[in-house]
Amino acid sequence: MLDSPPNSVTKLLIKWRSGDEAALNELMPLVYNEMRRLAHQYMRRERSDHTLQTTALLNEAYLRLIDHKNINWQNRAHFMAVAAQAMRRVLVDYAVSRKSIKRGGNCQRVDLDEAMGVALQRAEELIGLDEALKRLAAMDQRKAHVVELRYFGGLTVEEIAEFFGIASITVMREWGAAKAWLLRELSKSDVEENDGPA
């Protein structure tokens, strides 16, 4: 999965953080394929007619990443974790925007066909998952981060363990506990939504 030696990426991240703008130009070709794979994994979870494409997601994430040069970069895994988080934020922002349009936004009111209904439902599910992840992060930041890296970022258990400096078995345990918690939370949200005012 890793296309270049992690040490060279780590060195470039440190140089970039220190203000060497040329380091970013050297860094991006080294991590591009991996970031594209992450973007593709995110988009595979989206509806097939999503107007945001893999390349657009990658570009939006890149624009957000260049604003993060002051992060105390640890290594390649840390960079990819931040990239995964940036991609998640792009998709959530996009879903919020779509939900705004559904609620009236700046669009003319029209009847929605079944396909549009499914697309908007997917956007609401992504927003619901994002909100549940925020609640999980308030209780246990690392479990929320494990979910983000594993589910959204597509990182392996070993890569996540390297990122946190913990054993793979600990990552697997936290992944399982976080999934169970999220399923309960999302089920509660569904029940509350269905029992709400008509």
Side-chain angles (χ1 to χ4, degrees):
M1 181 179 107
L2 302 178
D3 297 323
S4 63
N7 288 344
S8 61
V9 171
T10 302
K11 287 176 188 172
L12 288 170
L13 286 167
I14 292 168
K15 287 170 79 175
W16 179 35
R17 183 185 67 220
S18 299
D20 183 351
E21 294 298 321
L24 179 61
N25 294 332
E26 292 178 53
L27 172 68
M28 290 318 292
L30 297 178
V31 295
Y32 179 83
N33 287 339
E34 199 169 347
M35 286 182 63
R36 184 161 183 79
R37 181 188 58 80
L38 280 177
H40 181 70
Q41 285 183 325
Y42 270 100
M43 294 311 298
R44 277 188 23 219
R45 291 184 173 94
E46 294 298 316
R47 66 187 194 282
S48 62
D49 65 338
H50 202 290
T51 57
L52 190 63
Q53 299 299 314
T54 299
T55 303
L57 176 58
L58 179 60
N59 291 338
E60 286 291 323
Y62 171 79
L63 292 173
R64 291 179 187 214
L65 281 171
I66 60 174
D67 290 336
H68 286 82
K69 68 180 176 186
N70 294 327
I71 289 179
N72 187 18
W73 297 109
Q74 298 168 19
N75 53 32
R76 178 189 200 105
H78 185 211
F79 178 81
M80 294 313 297
V82 173
Q85 186 176 46
M87 289 180 197
R88 178 177 149 237
R89 293 298 336 148
V90 168
L91 286 172
V92 169
D93 290 349
Y94 185 85
V96 168
S97 170
R98 298 281 299 178
K99 189 174 180 182
S100 166
I101 290 169
K102 176 188 172 193
R103 301 282 183 241
N106 59 357
C107 295
Q108 203 174 29
R109 185 171 174 87
V110 296
D111 289 331
L112 298 175
D113 61 15
E114 190 174 327
M116 182 56 112
V118 170
L120 292 172
Q121 179 183 356
R122 177 69 179 123
E124 289 179 9
E125 288 171 4
L126 182 60
I127 294 167
L129 178 58
D130 183 59
E131 290 169 355
L133 269 174
K134 287 177 184 173
R135 289 191 301 272
L136 177 60
M139 294 182 334
D140 191 324
Q141 182 70 38
R142 190 166 75 185
K143 279 187 179 70
H145 212 50
V146 165
V147 170
E148 188 170 72
L149 296 175
R150 186 86 173 111
Y151 180 78
F152 288 105
L155 271 64
T156 66
V157 168
E158 292 75 23
E159 289 168 327
I160 297 169
E162 175 191 341
F163 172 72
F164 285 114
I166 58 177
S168 295
I169 191 74
T170 304
V171 172
M172 290 170 52
R173 193 170 31 247
E174 294 204 349
W175 168 241
K179 280 195 311 186
W181 187 89
L182 284 169
L183 284 172
R184 280 193 307 274
E185 282 297 298
L186 293 172
S187 294
K188 277 193 246 178
S189 295
D190 287 344
V191 169
E192 289 168 4
E193 213 172 86
N194 293 333
D195 290 343

